Amino acid sequence: MTFSIIGRCQETGQVGIAISSSSIAVGARCPWVRAGVGAVATQNITLPALGPQILDALEQGQLPPAAALERVLSANGWSEYRQVTVIDSHGQVALFTGKEALGTHNAVAGEQCAAAGNLLSSQAVIAAMVTAFEQAGGHLADRLLAAMHAAM
């Protein structure tokens, strides 16, 4: 089981990620954040290179999230096993779930956020995360944690 949320604070422009997984050392492979650029969460059969490559495409190529995600996925193999969410410094999001994603999976874009998960108990887990993020007040970290609590 893995679920994650990426989000942006409209007031500060700060971006962040929260992720939970049954996979060991998920923090070393899945969350990628670059100040002033955006955030990327890569999961399912992970390829850690995707995060930095997508952030490079956002920053250096000045591509919107959907184009950056498409470019990087098409340049790397086995995309059908990947699950990736992207948010840029303006709050635009893109998401992808390959057809070979494990178990019950879902990905949902929201206002200044996106959530995704695989091996879920229900697809509703991801929708609940987005709703919780959008309805929570406070700092970005508080909103990310609200989404994680909703997933549980």
Side-chain angles (χ1 to χ4, degrees):
M1 165 283 309
T2 299
F3 51 82
S4 65
I5 179 109
I6 57 174
R8 178 181 178 271
C9 175
Q10 284 184 288
E11 292 179 24
T12 66
Q14 183 181 34
V15 296
I17 298 174
I19 188 167
S20 178
S21 182
S22 59
S23 179
I24 193 165
V26 70
R29 296 188 320 274
C30 299
W32 304 95
V33 179
R34 189 174 298 163
V37 177
V40 178
T42 66
Q43 55 200 46
N44 206 58
I45 310 295
T46 59
L47 176 61
L50 293 177
Q53 289 174 6
I54 293 169
L55 290 169
D56 287 347
L58 289 172
E59 184 175 31
Q60 298 162 4
Q62 298 185 343
L63 297 174
L69 178 58
E70 184 177 335
R71 176 186 286 181
V72 171
L73 284 177
S74 67
N76 289 280
W78 307 98
S79 291
E80 64 271 13
Y81 293 94
R82 314 283 183 220
Q83 191 170 45
V84 185
T85 55
V86 182
I87 191 165
D88 70 7
S89 62
H90 306 290
Q92 297 178 82
V93 299
L95 40 95
F96 173 83
T97 300
K99 64 181 182 198
E100 298 294 331
L102 298 172
T104 300
H105 52 80
N106 196 11
V108 176
E111 183 68 31
Q112 306 259 337
C113 69
N118 56 74
L119 293 172
L120 300 167
S121 61
S122 160
Q123 287 187 334
V125 169
I126 302 307
M129 293 179 78
V130 169
T131 299
F133 180 88
E134 291 175 337
Q135 292 178 352
H139 297 287
L140 178 62
D142 296 328
R143 297 175 72 201
L144 293 169
L145 286 173
M148 297 303 281
H149 284 282
M152 298 304 289

